[in-house]
Amino acid sequence: MSRDAFNPPDAMPLREALRGLRFLLRRGGETIAETVNVEALPKPASDLASAMLREAGGLARTVDEMTSGVAKTVLGGQKSPSAPLKDMIGGPNAGAEFAVAVYVALSTVLRHLGAPTVLVSEAAARSAYGNLAPITAETSVEKRAADLTFCLLDARVMRGTTAQEAALVPGAALEAASIFAVMLWLQSARSQDENEAALAAATDMAVALAPEISRAVAGKDASRIEELYRRYVPHV
């Protein structure tokens, strides 16, 4: 029997492609809905526009259903939630596990902040983990988290952010603050029952710290981000 029978194909590229298509259809559908009275269009344009809107809604539901099981592996539910960062790093599937955790948590943070239409790239998160500099046993978890924060920013794990969405966080620091919230949460000690509440608390802290986070990110000051993690992780 082929070894491939014991190694199912990686589903991440398919998830990524479907999410990207959903994002494009949603954005296109929103543009049509906001700027054009579909019913007033002459045929066949009205039929085409209506079909596009239905397709966008149907695809969105399909992708949401597909990823619901993935979300449960991170925030809890029928499966065990994702491990804390200190247990995740260095594992045999650490990159894939980290990417899924970042995708689900970051999507949740953005919904909490009122910016659910931003595209989060699981592939970029996995690439970011792969770009993490070699670590030793002496490397602190906060140092690893700070380095991963900048890897995620460099990999553009958040895409399609509009100026309006960016302004939801003080100093237009939506990207930096949202990623900080996820990394803050990943370092916290949390039970399955506390998982979602811990993520919401980490998000609120990140919003309050947004100007400071933004300055540290703009200055490429990883040591400052590391210090912020060390100070605030115990409060999540």
Side-chain angles (χ1 to χ4, degrees), residues 49-72:
S50 296
M52 179 179 178
L53 292 173
R54 288 195 301 272
E55 184 69 19
L59 178 63
R61 287 190 295 274
T62 299
V63 178
D64 289 342
E65 291 170 2
M66 179 189 69
T67 58
S68 62
V70 175
K72 290 174 182 176

Side-chain angles (χ1 to χ4, degrees), residues 203-232:
T203 303
D204 292 341
M205 287 184 198
V207 171
L209 294 167
E212 191 167 359
I213 295 168
S214 184
R215 286 194 296 271
V217 166
K220 299 290 184 180
D221 190 350
S223 62
R224 181 56 181 156
I225 296 294
E226 178 183 351
E227 181 184 343
L228 290 172
Y229 286 142
R230 186 171 288 108
R231 182 185 303 175
Y232 289 102

Side-chain angles (χ1 to χ4, degrees), residues 25 55 67 71 74 88 93 105-106 116 131 144 161 174 185 189 215 232:
L25 286 173
E55 184 69 19
T67 58
V74 177
M88 186 186 301
N93 298 310
L106 190 51
N131 290 331
R144 296 174 189 177
T161 308
L174 178 66
W185 169 77
R215 286 194 296 271
Y232 289 102

Side-chain angles (χ1 to χ4, degrees), residues 26-94:
R26 273 182 167 172
R27 281 290 168 94
E30 288 169 1
T31 299
I32 290 175
E34 291 173 1
T35 61
V36 177
N37 182 352
V38 174
E39 295 178 353
L41 290 173
K43 290 182 177 295
S46 61
D47 293 339
L48 181 61
S50 296
M52 179 179 178
L53 292 173
R54 288 195 301 272
E55 184 69 19
L59 178 63
R61 287 190 295 274
T62 299
V63 178
D64 289 342
E65 291 170 2
M66 179 189 69
T67 58
S68 62
V70 175
K72 290 174 182 176
T73 68
V74 177
L75 295 178
Q78 296 176 357
K79 301 178 182 180
S80 299
S82 63
L85 186 65
K86 64 181 178 63
D87 296 336
M88 186 186 301
I89 290 181
N93 298 310

Side-chain angles (χ1 to χ4, degrees), residues 11 14 34 97 107 118 136 155 161 178 180 182 205 209-211:
L14 175 60
E34 291 173 1
E97 186 179 354
S107 298
V118 175
T136 67
T161 308
S178 298
F180 182 93
V182 171
M205 287 184 198
L209 294 167

Side-chain angles (χ1 to χ4, degrees), residues 104-151:
V104 174
L106 190 51
S107 298
T108 303
V109 167
L110 290 166
R111 285 195 299 271
H112 182 77
L113 293 176
T117 61
V118 175
L119 178 64
V120 178
S121 172
E122 182 183 343
R126 190 183 292 194
S127 174
Y129 186 89
N131 290 331
L132 182 65
I135 58 177
T136 67
E138 290 74 30
T139 305
S140 69
V141 175
E142 296 85 3
K143 167 63 174 171
R144 296 174 189 177
D147 290 344
L148 279 168
T149 298
F150 283 95
C151 287

